[in-house]
């Protein structure tokens, strides 16, 4: 039984019992015992563990975990301390610098955001080493759709930052007018720099402030 130790437990209790999730669980049991899978099995649900349902202010939707050793730890776009900042995250930091004046940190560990209510949710929560999208179509998409459906029902306003086609497809779930949807190209260098200038970070903070909520301190502390 998955234990998140916050309000997600009650909200997801029945979802963990669904047949599709039980099939996913069996798939993962075999995968983790026969192949190299990221993140560590104990880190799969870190996004939910670190950001409770009631505390979510913003959601950043990623694709699937990083595929290189030591990078993925259960938060979209984030890497473990001591790991070189991947290109997509480097572009996020560049946009932050221009948009809200953040200095480029010496690490890519985004737990500082998660602690403030930024849910760093990948669409698919596991991946085989060196094989992007290798766990797509196994049930994770349905699970994360349900998480977004739960967030959509909340009355308290929140911002959804959707970068790239995969994340934007998820945006169809969000139809509550209380929430803000921000869309941009993916921060990957493959997007040709079209992510730059989206100003999603300042827009998120303006939205939160307008709704009487504490804005996000986007500055990642140096280690």
């Amino acid at each position: 039984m998955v234990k998140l130790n916050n309000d997600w437990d009650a909200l997801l209790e029945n979802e963990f019992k669904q047949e599709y999730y039980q099939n996913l669980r069996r798939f993962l049991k075999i995968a983790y015992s026969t192949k190299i899978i990221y993140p560590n099995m104990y880190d799969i649900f870190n996004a939910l563990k670190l950001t409770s349902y009631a505390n979510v202010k913003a959601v950043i939707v990623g694709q699937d975990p990083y595929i290189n050793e030591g990078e993925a730890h259960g938060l979209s776009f984030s890497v473990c301390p001591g790991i070189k900042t991947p290109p997509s995250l480097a572009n996020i930091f560049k946009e932050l610098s221009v948009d809200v004046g953040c200095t480029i940190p010496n690490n890519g560990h985004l737990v500082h955001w998660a602690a403030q209510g930024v849910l760093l949710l990948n669409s698919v929560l596991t991946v085989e080493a060196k094989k992007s999208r290798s766990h797509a179509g196994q049930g994770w998409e349905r699970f994360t759709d349900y998480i977004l459906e739960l967030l959509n029902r909340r009355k308290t306003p929140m911002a959804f930052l959707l970068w790239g086609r995969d994340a934007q497809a998820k945006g169809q779930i969000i139809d509550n007018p209380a929430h803000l949807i921000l869309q941009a190209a993916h921060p990957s260098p493959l997007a040709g720099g079209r992510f730059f200038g989206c100003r999603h970070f300042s827009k998120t903070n303006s939205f939160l402030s307008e709704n009487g909520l504490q804005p996000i301190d986007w500055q990642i502390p140096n280690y």
Side-chain angles (χ1 to χ4, degrees):
M1 176 65 71
V2 175
K3 280 295 180 183
L4 306 172
N5 296 316
N6 58 30
D7 52 7
W8 285 114
D9 282 323
L11 290 165
L12 296 173
E13 181 179 6
N14 289 332
E15 200 69 11
F16 285 129
K17 297 176 182 177
Q18 297 298 313
E19 182 177 1
Y20 86 90
Y21 186 83
Q22 293 302 311
N23 290 336
L24 170 62
R25 190 170 180 270
R26 284 188 282 270
F27 165 79
L28 291 174
K29 185 176 181 180
I30 295 171
Y32 272 96
S33 63
T34 59
K35 301 175 181 178
I36 299 175
I37 306 299
Y38 300 134
N40 180 290
M41 67 174 66
Y42 299 108
D43 292 337
I44 293 173
F45 298 103
N46 275 350
L48 300 175
K49 291 177 180 178
L50 293 176
T51 309
S52 69
Y53 177 78
N55 288 341
V56 176
K57 293 180 180 179
V59 184
I60 297 178
V61 181
Q63 178 183 294
D64 56 1
Y66 291 122
I67 60 174
N68 298 316
E69 183 179 1
E71 292 182 340
H73 67 109
L75 304 181
S76 63
F77 296 102
S78 181
V79 291
C80 294
I83 299 297
K84 182 180 178 181
T85 300
S88 292
L89 184 54
N91 282 346
I92 291 171
F93 287 155
K94 290 177 183 177
E95 175 64 18
L96 272 167
S97 177
V98 173
D99 187 17
V100 292
C102 290
T103 58
I104 305 297
N106 64 3
N107 69 94
H109 202 214
L110 305 184
V111 293
H112 179 63
W113 294 356
Q116 296 177 79
V118 181
L119 181 65
L120 296 163
L121 182 71
N122 278 315
S123 176
V124 174
L125 301 189
T126 56
V127 71
E128 184 178 344
K130 305 297 183 180
K131 295 183 179 180
S132 182
R133 296 181 182 268
S134 51
H135 285 187
Q138 297 293 337
W140 279 130
E141 294 91 344
R142 178 172 171 180
F143 180 76
T144 53
D145 279 355
Y146 184 67
I147 289 172
L148 293 176
E149 289 172 9
L150 290 172
L151 291 168
N152 183 55
R153 298 174 195 170
R154 260 190 42 189
K155 294 181 179 179
T156 304
M158 71 188 80
F160 292 83
L161 286 63
L162 308 177
W163 302 332
R165 291 181 181 178
D166 289 351
Q168 289 168 18
K170 290 274 195 187
Q172 298 175 9
I173 297 169
I174 312 304
D175 58 8
N176 185 338
H179 305 318
L180 174 68
I181 297 178
L182 298 171
Q183 300 188 39
H186 195 278
S188 167
L190 297 176
R194 290 179 288 113
F195 172 76
F196 296 125
C198 68
R199 303 188 69 84
H200 281 188
F201 306 102
S202 59
K203 289 176 181 177
T204 294
N205 277 355
S206 294
F207 173 76
L208 293 174
S209 295
E210 289 165 4
N211 285 280
L213 299 169
Q214 183 71 25
I216 305 298
D217 173 15
W218 295 108
Q219 180 65 62
I220 297 299
N222 286 331
Y223 278 94

